Amino acid sequence: MKPNLRCSILKGMALLAIITQLPLAQAQTKPPQETDEQKQARMAWWTEARFGMFIHWGLYAQAARHEWVKNRERITDADYQKYFEVFNPDLYNPREWARVARQAGMRYFVITTKHHEGFCLWDSKVTDYKATKTPYGKDLIKPMVEAFRAEGLRVGFYYSLIDWHHPDYPPDRVHPMRDNKAFREKAKNRDMRKYVDYMEKQLRELLTQFGPVDCLFLDFSFPGNDGKGRDDWQSERLLRVIRELQPKCIINDRLDLLDQPGGWDFRTPEQFMPRGWVTVDGKRVPWETCQTFSGSWGYHRDETTWTSVEQLVVMLIETVSKGGNLLLNVGPTARGTFDQRALDRLNGIGQWMRFHSRSLYGCTAAPNEFKKPDHCLLTYNPKTRRLYLHVLVWPMGKLHLDGFAGKIKYAQLLNDASEVRFAAQKGAWMDDRQASADTLTLDLPVQKPAVTVPVIELFLKP
Ligand code: GLC
């Protein structure tokens, strides 16, 4: 920017600050605003994609009993160090991961560049607590980014605001040393501002050294007593840096800036299925639910509550039927591989996606006039004007669709493009409840198609 242009912008901001009685610093730190249309355009690839892979990987993969192990077991830095000293994922081959993700139908990935334990997977210049200083000795992020991009996936970085290792990070109520009086006493002069400088430097590295970062998942704020929120993280400052370096980047909602316009791009319901499209002040907003296979994000050897392929496919469909995205997590092992349980599920999802992804990519909730029948989920592609009826429980021969009569031009099973015949139905024998003129009845094969969840594609009349 030319110096005199810059100068007049600054003058303008100062004037604005005086007029609006805002302190100058605050006026300067407001994130750039955009219209709803601009935001929609910026997020278009993400809304279209609908399905991504979360990857939680760090030293905790070796403990193999949850990524919060340091916190849960109140492990000291000294005791946690053993994981750093042996970390050596010798089988790590990100091209394999990327292929598995693509074949599962995922269109973007989000990797924990640093989780709460503070360990960095890339070669950060501002710490030695990183992969390059372990026996493995190499950067893990660059090859991962390259591999996933080569498979056509967009790139997302998770970055933990919380840091249980950094020497300037003041302990709080979710810190592993929360109850350790001696630790707290020693840490009482820790300077949060220095830690924020560190975060800013790391974010600058992440946002300048790996090409376009399509989305960023910052984790997480817990304001209030003995917690941390926007003032501690200096959230607006971080946000400004991010928007400056990567204006297109899509950012989650955990900076504690929920009430601020432009303070977040999408909501992140975690490990639960929202009852409907997520709203803020009554308005539908972009949202992404992040989910695990079994409860833990990091690799967990002994966890047994793994969901089935069918549950996961239904979860994905249900998410899109409510206008959201699904970020499904894998916790790779410390050898650098996806374990068999994860592979089985990703494969199963992929087999279904091969024939049915059309009912999800670019799709969203069905228009209000179309109500889902019992045991079904509906999605809709506004561009092609096709409705997708996901049949969770296969009925006996007929499927009645109230309110659909006269609106459908053609119907087919998605898995094999075989025609599904239909007629306006006057009610079955001894039952004229369906006799309403707006009911359309599909004529289905008695046998359920041999796919996890059959989908009927309905072409709307123009
Ligand atoms: C949580 C957890 C965490 C996980 C994340 C995923 O906030 O602290 O371990 O990374 O959510 O959304």
Side-chain angles (χ1 to χ4, degrees):
M1 196 185 292
K2 286 191 184 142
N4 44 5
L5 178 62
R6 198 184 146 80
C7 180
S8 49
I9 288 178
L10 282 174
K11 270 192 209 148
M13 288 175 87
L15 195 64
L16 185 77
I18 293 163
I19 296 167
T20 59
Q21 308 263 300
L22 280 176
L24 182 56
Q26 215 178 324
Q28 277 177 331
T29 53
K30 288 283 171 224
Q33 305 298 310
E34 62 187 344
T35 63
D36 283 355
E37 291 69 36
Q38 286 167 331
K39 180 172 169 181
Q40 264 170 31
R42 181 165 57 85
M43 296 188 70
W45 73 262
W46 185 89
T47 316
E48 160 85 30
R50 287 305 183 209
F51 190 26
M53 174 181 275
F54 217 169
I55 304 177
H56 275 68
W57 204 30
L59 299 178
Y60 44 79
Q62 294 164 113
R65 50 185 195 274
H66 205 279
E67 78 286 353
W68 273 59
V69 62
K70 190 177 187 192
N71 170 294
R72 290 180 169 185
E73 298 177 17
R74 294 169 163 77
I75 303 175
T76 62
D77 284 334
D79 286 343
Y80 205 75
Q81 189 60 15
K82 65 183 173 198
Y83 300 127
F84 183 84
E85 280 161 17
V86 300
F87 185 74
N88 193 2
D90 57 330
L91 300 179
Y92 175 53
N93 177 0
R95 279 182 305 214
E96 269 172 26
W97 296 10
R99 186 177 36 79
V100 170
R102 179 185 48 76
Q103 284 173 352
M106 292 156 157
R107 294 249 166 127
Y108 60 106
F109 85 111
V110 179
I111 172 70
T112 52
T113 57
K114 176 191 91 162
H115 202 262
H116 308 335
E117 64 178 3
F119 178 68
C120 300
L121 302 192
W122 82 103
D123 190 19
S124 172
K125 293 292 163 289
V126 288
T127 183
D128 281 338
Y129 201 51
K130 56 183 176 183
T132 44
K133 294 282 182 186
T134 65
Y136 183 70
K138 285 177 277 183
D139 167 34
L140 296 162
I141 295 295
K142 200 156 257 161
M144 201 184 301
V145 166
E146 280 165 10
F148 278 81
R149 263 201 207 114
E151 291 286 354
L153 280 83
R154 297 271 191 158
V155 176
F157 286 160
Y158 167 109
Y159 179 82
S160 175
L161 302 165
I162 297 170
D163 195 313
W164 297 329
H165 179 270
H166 196 275
D168 294 315
Y169 185 89
D172 50 46
R173 68 173 191 261
V174 298
H175 195 277
M177 296 296 106
R178 58 197 170 282
D179 301 324
N180 183 328
K181 287 213 177 77
F183 185 93
R184 285 242 186 192
E185 183 53 32
K186 251 178 87 188
K188 85 172 181 278
N189 292 326
R190 286 186 175 196
D191 186 349
M192 187 66 187
R193 287 167 309 180
K194 281 199 198 153
Y195 173 66
V196 175
D197 290 343
Y198 171 79
M199 281 203 289
E200 181 181 328
K201 285 184 189 132
Q202 291 210 314
L203 285 169
R204 283 185 184 277
E205 291 179 351
L206 289 170
L207 297 170
T208 53
Q209 294 174 11
F210 302 93
V213 175
D214 302 295
C215 49
L216 197 59
F217 197 114
L218 300 166
D219 200 31
F220 65 91
S221 298
F222 48 110
N225 191 23
D226 206 15
K228 288 187 174 65
R230 67 167 88 182
D231 296 337
D232 305 282
W233 316 124
Q234 299 180 43
S235 295
E236 297 185 352
R237 164 179 163 194
L238 296 182
L239 190 64
R240 194 159 50 94
V241 170
I242 300 162
R243 299 278 194 220
E244 236 169 60
L245 295 175
Q246 299 254 0
K248 292 197 184 139
C249 183
I250 297 172
I251 308 175
N252 75 335
D253 60 346
R254 297 191 181 174
L255 270 173
D256 189 23
L257 294 175
L258 279 184
D259 57 355
Q260 178 166 318
W264 53 278
D265 290 326
F266 64 96
R267 299 290 273 132
T268 56
E270 176 179 325
Q271 303 248 47
F272 74 93
M273 177 60 68
R275 298 283 302 272
W277 196 314
V278 175
T279 57
V280 172
D281 301 329
K283 202 174 141 202
R284 288 175 162 191
V285 294
W287 64 278
E288 171 190 76
T289 179
C290 44
Q291 304 272 1
T292 58
F293 290 128
S294 64
S296 174
W297 299 90
Y299 173 65
H300 197 308
R301 183 189 58 204
D302 301 332
E303 204 166 45
T304 53
T305 55
W306 280 64
T307 40
S308 66
V309 169
E310 187 182 358
Q311 283 173 304
L312 294 162
V313 167
V314 173
M315 180 195 277
L316 175 57
I317 300 164
E318 188 169 349
T319 303
V320 178
S321 78
K322 294 171 177 174
N325 279 23
L326 173 65
L327 191 62
L328 185 60
N329 181 71
V330 181
T333 71
R335 291 295 300 276
T337 56
F338 290 178
D339 76 314
Q340 199 52 46
R341 296 168 295 184
L343 288 172
D344 290 345
R345 281 153 185 85
L346 292 165
N347 265 330
I349 296 170
Q351 276 167 31
W352 184 84
M353 283 294 275
R354 171 155 186 242
F355 295 102
H356 300 96
S357 61
R358 199 151 96 203
S359 72
L360 301 180
Y361 297 148
C363 291
T364 185
N368 279 341
E369 62 184 290
F370 298 105
K371 301 277 175 260
K372 65 184 166 81
D374 289 347
H375 316 302
C376 292
L377 290 168
L378 269 180
T379 61
Y380 175 63
N381 186 321
K383 281 203 188 119
T384 59
R385 293 184 30 84
R386 293 185 192 176
L387 271 173
Y388 295 94
L389 187 63
H390 301 79
V391 187
L392 308 183
V393 179
W394 195 249
M396 259 294 296
K398 305 268 183 221
L399 185 57
H400 304 290
L401 306 177
D402 292 333
F404 287 55
K407 297 179 179 167
I408 306 299
K409 190 169 63 178
Y410 187 75
Q412 62 180 3
L413 276 167
L414 196 48
N415 61 294
D416 62 357
S418 60
E419 181 181 11
V420 172
R421 293 194 291 179
F422 57 85
Q425 171 84 0
K426 277 279 169 272
W429 185 52
M430 292 207 314
D431 173 13
D432 36 40
R433 275 173 306 167
Q434 315 290 342
S436 88
D438 66 357
T439 299
L440 178 127
T441 297
L442 301 177
D443 219 346
L444 297 178
V446 171
Q447 286 193 329
K448 177 190 166 195
V451 296
T452 309
V453 175
V455 180
I456 299 157
E457 187 175 40
L458 303 167
F459 298 52
L460 291 191
K461 284 188 179 163

